[in-house]
């Protein structure tokens, strides 16, 4: 596994130093031996940082590579490091430290993407577009409202990461191979030194638990779902059929054949890579499902999916942040699409309701008006509604004032421009 687990070298070294310090208190290492171990490990870290360190596949994994190099460097003291420890509690510790660091980084990347979306939402808070259900025009919203929906999703993604971090940040070191050790190290002290919140309480569970990886992979997979939906929206918006948005040349590509093409590759790759995020989650769950307690080498299969999801998601978040920041909204095309009077058919039904017509009947009456509009090829707002039903007054036409219709959507969560602006202020404070 050295070809991929080498990337946990800093975490492995931090864990070893904490373990060695606890050994001094337990009397299995002298102060001098500890200092030699600490210094030797720091040197190894610098060598790996600079690319000088020679990894050996014969030594299997990062744990054996570092320990062997240490003993080569400092002699007998190095051979004492592994007292009261197994690679089983060691790898669990390293992986938890690694996940914790990556959760924190991903959280920052999510905030950056939220900020990019928020800036665009602010700029286009009042730009009306149709909102869709079934990809059919439904009711008017604004670009700001639409983009803020993604800010909300990403906030939940961060909350999921924060929640999974609680179960990641628990120290398994001291659990040994599966049954602890007859040499009692101060596990609380080790946990404090490594900034874990607490220690695990069952050695068998501690070394074979991979729930925290599954949770983290799930959180990343769901973020992938959100990014993929955003991608799909942008792909639609950038098509000639919609024409709502334009992405910068840096985030689109030409075709090798068709000179006019401006393909939204970043969106398509983001959407495509979501498949990997799902695959990695399923790979981990499947690898873990048939294992008797405790450690089995199958568990080594946890790391490649984990690393791949982290790399994939981090890249997607960074590129999407740039792409969103560079995106232009074509306000006129948005306005033209939103000016379809059919978007206000529901408002017309609401008008009838306000005049005492039961909603089901109002729905039917408006349906008749829509059918009439289609049949006679007359826009809904130009029909003489008073001819369609006695329930319409001459003021029915006022329903078709788009700005007024939007402004009337003042309930919490609804897209009146005033609401959207208040939400933008709230998010600016929060982010
Ligand atoms: N490279 C191994 C892993 O990732 C480390 C633990 C090995 N333990 C063992 N008992 N063979 O799981």
């Amino acid at each position: 596994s050295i070809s991929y687990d080498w990337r946990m070298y800093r975490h492995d070294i931090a864990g070893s130093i904490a373990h060695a310090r606890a050994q001094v208190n337990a009397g299995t290492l002298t102060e001098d031996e500890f200092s030699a171990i600490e210094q030797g490990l720091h040197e190894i870290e610098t060598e790996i940082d600079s690319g000088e360190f020679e990894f050996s596949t014969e030594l299997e994994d990062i744990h054996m590579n570092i320990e062997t190099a240490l003993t080569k460097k400092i002699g007998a003291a190095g051979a004492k490091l592994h007292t009261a420890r197994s690679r089983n509690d060691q790898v669990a510790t390293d992986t938890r430290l690694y996940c914790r660091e990556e959760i924190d980084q991903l959280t920052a990347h999510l905030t950056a993407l939220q900020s990019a979306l928020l800036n665009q939402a602010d700029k286009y808070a009042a730009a009306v577009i149709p909102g869709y259900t079934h990809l059919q025009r439904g009711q008017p919203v604004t670009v700001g409202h639409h983009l803020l929906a993604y800010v909300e999703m990403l906030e939940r993604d961060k909350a999921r990461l924060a929640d999974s971090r609680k179960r990641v940040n628990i120290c398994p070191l001291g659990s040994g191979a599966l049954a602890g050790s007859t040499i009692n190290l101060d596990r609380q002290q080790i946990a404090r030194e490594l900034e874990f919140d607490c220690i695990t309480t069952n050695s068998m569970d501690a070394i074979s638990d991979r729930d925290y990886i599954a949770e983290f992979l799930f959180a990343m997979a769901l973020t992938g779902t959100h990014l993929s939906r955003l991608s799909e929206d942008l792909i639609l918006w950038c098509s000639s059929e919609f024409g709502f948005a334009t992405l910068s040349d840096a985030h689109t590509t030409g075709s090798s054949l068709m000179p006019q093409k401006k393909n939204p590759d970043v969106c398509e790759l983001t959407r495509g890579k979501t498949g990997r995020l799902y695959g990695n989650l399923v790979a981990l769950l499947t690898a873990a499902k048939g294992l008797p307690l405790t450690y089995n080498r199958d568990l080594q299969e946890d790391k490649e999916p984990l690393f791949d999801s982290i790399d994939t998601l981090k890249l997607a978040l960074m590129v999407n942040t740039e792409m969103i920041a560079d995106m232009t909204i074509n306000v006129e095309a948005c306005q033209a699409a939103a000016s379809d009077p059919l978007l206000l058919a529901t408002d017309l039904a609401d008008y009838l309701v306000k005049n005492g017509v039961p909603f089901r009947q109002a729905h039917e009456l408006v349906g008749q008006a829509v059918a009439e509009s289609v049949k006679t090829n007359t826009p809904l707002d130009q029909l003489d509604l008073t001819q369609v039903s006695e329930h319409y007054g001459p003021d029915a036409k006022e329903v078709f004032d788009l700005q007024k219709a939007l402004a009337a959507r003042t309930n919490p969560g609804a897209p009146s421009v005033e609401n959207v602006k208040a939400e933008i202020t709230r998010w600016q404070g929060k982010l």
Side-chain angles (χ1 to χ4, degrees):
S1 58
I2 189 61
S3 65
Y4 51 86
D5 67 14
W6 70 270
R7 63 158 96 186
M8 302 195 302
Y9 69 97
R10 284 184 294 107
H11 316 82
D12 194 76
I13 287 170
S16 286
I17 292 172
H19 178 74
R21 210 187 305 277
Q23 279 203 61
V24 176
N25 294 339
T28 50
L29 277 182
T30 66
E31 284 284 357
D32 285 351
E33 286 169 328
F34 169 73
S35 298
I37 288 173
E38 189 182 32
Q39 203 195 320
L41 287 172
H42 281 314
E43 281 171 26
I44 291 169
E45 185 168 352
T46 312
E47 287 162 25
I48 301 178
D49 279 339
S50 66
E52 277 164 46
F53 190 88
E54 277 197 28
F55 290 107
S56 151
T57 48
E58 246 128 79
L59 295 169
E60 289 186 21
D61 54 29
I62 187 63
H63 324 295
M64 293 303 287
N65 267 270
I66 291 178
E67 193 192 322
T68 307
L70 179 70
T71 306
K72 228 189 240 165
K73 214 183 250 299
I74 66 166
K80 291 185 174 182
L81 174 62
H82 211 52
T83 309
R85 184 176 75 172
S86 151
R87 277 189 290 162
N88 295 350
D89 56 348
Q90 191 177 0
V91 72
T93 305
D94 294 2
T95 312
R96 284 171 182 272
L97 289 173
Y98 189 85
C99 286
R100 182 178 76 186
E101 188 173 297
E102 294 297 336
I103 284 172
D104 292 346
Q105 285 187 22
L106 283 167
T107 302
H109 287 300
L110 281 161
T111 303
L113 178 55
Q114 282 180 304
S115 299
L117 288 162
L118 182 60
N119 286 340
Q120 294 286 19
D122 191 17
K123 196 159 164 195
Y124 301 108
V128 271
I129 45 167
Y132 297 79
T133 60
H134 314 272
L135 202 54
Q136 306 284 316
R137 285 178 182 168
Q139 296 181 336
V141 295
T142 73
V143 172
H145 196 60
H146 194 123
L147 295 180
L148 286 179
Y150 286 101
V151 176
E152 298 273 352
M153 291 177 228
L154 299 179
E155 188 67 16
R156 292 196 296 277
D157 292 338
K158 290 197 311 193
R160 260 181 291 276
L161 285 179
D163 191 55
S164 73
R165 193 188 194 281
K166 292 183 206 157
R167 284 172 295 280
V168 161
N169 203 28
I170 302 174
C171 187
L173 206 58
S175 302
L178 80 157
S181 168
T182 57
I183 297 163
N184 286 328
L185 303 183
D186 183 346
R187 295 192 58 208
Q188 299 288 359
Q189 183 210 322
I190 293 173
R192 270 195 303 279
E193 179 166 342
L194 295 172
E195 292 178 33
F196 281 111
D197 295 328
C198 56
I199 61 171
T200 55
T201 45
N202 180 298
S203 61
M204 296 177 80
D205 177 43
I207 60 104
S208 59
D209 166 36
R210 296 295 181 272
D211 299 9
Y212 64 96
I213 299 181
E215 282 190 54
F216 185 17
L217 285 172
F218 170 71
M220 290 191 280
L222 194 51
T223 301
T225 307
H226 295 150
L227 296 187
S228 187
R229 296 187 74 184
L230 175 62
S231 299
E232 181 61 15
D233 270 342
L234 296 181
I235 290 166
L236 290 170
W237 285 12
C238 292
S239 67
S240 312
E241 282 70 16
F242 279 73
F244 293 177
T246 309
L247 298 173
S248 73
D249 288 348
H251 301 104
T252 50
T253 60
S255 154
S256 57
L257 179 69
M258 299 166 280
Q260 84 284 9
K261 290 301 278 297
K262 201 175 168 192
N263 298 329
D265 281 31
V266 169
C267 300
E268 292 169 313
L269 287 166
T270 303
R271 191 176 57 184
K273 281 183 185 294
T274 302
R276 298 170 73 116
L277 300 176
Y278 295 178
N280 290 334
L281 170 62
V282 173
L284 186 273
L285 290 172
T286 311
K289 79 176 251 298
L291 304 184
L293 290 181
T294 56
Y295 183 85
N296 300 269
R297 198 61 180 255
D298 315 45
L299 289 173
Q300 185 171 283
E301 285 298 305
D302 60 354
K303 277 175 280 308
E304 281 176 295
L306 173 66
F307 297 159
D308 185 67
S309 281
I310 291 168
D311 294 347
T312 300
L313 186 58
K314 212 186 264 180
L315 183 59
L317 286 169
M318 290 195 292
V319 182
N320 275 274
T321 301
E322 272 180 25
M323 183 181 69
I324 294 292
D326 284 353
M327 172 181 74
T328 343
I329 296 294
N330 312 318
V331 178
E332 276 164 29
C334 293
Q335 174 78 40
S339 301
D340 177 353
L342 288 177
L343 287 178
L344 297 172
T346 319
D347 295 48
L348 192 59
D350 289 347
Y351 161 90
L352 292 173
V353 166
K354 286 173 194 159
N355 285 349
V357 183
F359 180 74
R360 277 289 153 231
Q361 194 189 336
H363 185 276
E364 183 157 344
L365 283 173
V366 175
Q368 284 165 10
V370 170
E372 180 70 13
S373 144
V374 171
K375 201 174 87 193
T376 60
N377 205 8
T378 319
L380 187 62
D381 57 341
Q382 278 159 45
L383 275 188
D384 184 358
L385 290 165
T386 55
Q387 299 289 359
V388 181
S389 158
E390 64 199 0
H391 294 291
Y392 292 111
D395 58 343
K397 275 201 154 67
E398 289 168 26
V399 161
F400 296 101
D401 182 327
L402 183 57
Q403 290 308 325
K404 269 197 200 151
L406 198 58
R409 292 176 154 77
T410 55
N411 232 13
S416 74
V417 175
E418 211 176 308
N419 271 3
V420 172
K421 287 192 171 154
E423 278 300 291
I424 286 165
T425 309
R426 180 175 74 84
W427 279 112
Q428 283 166 341
K430 209 172 153 85
L431 296 176

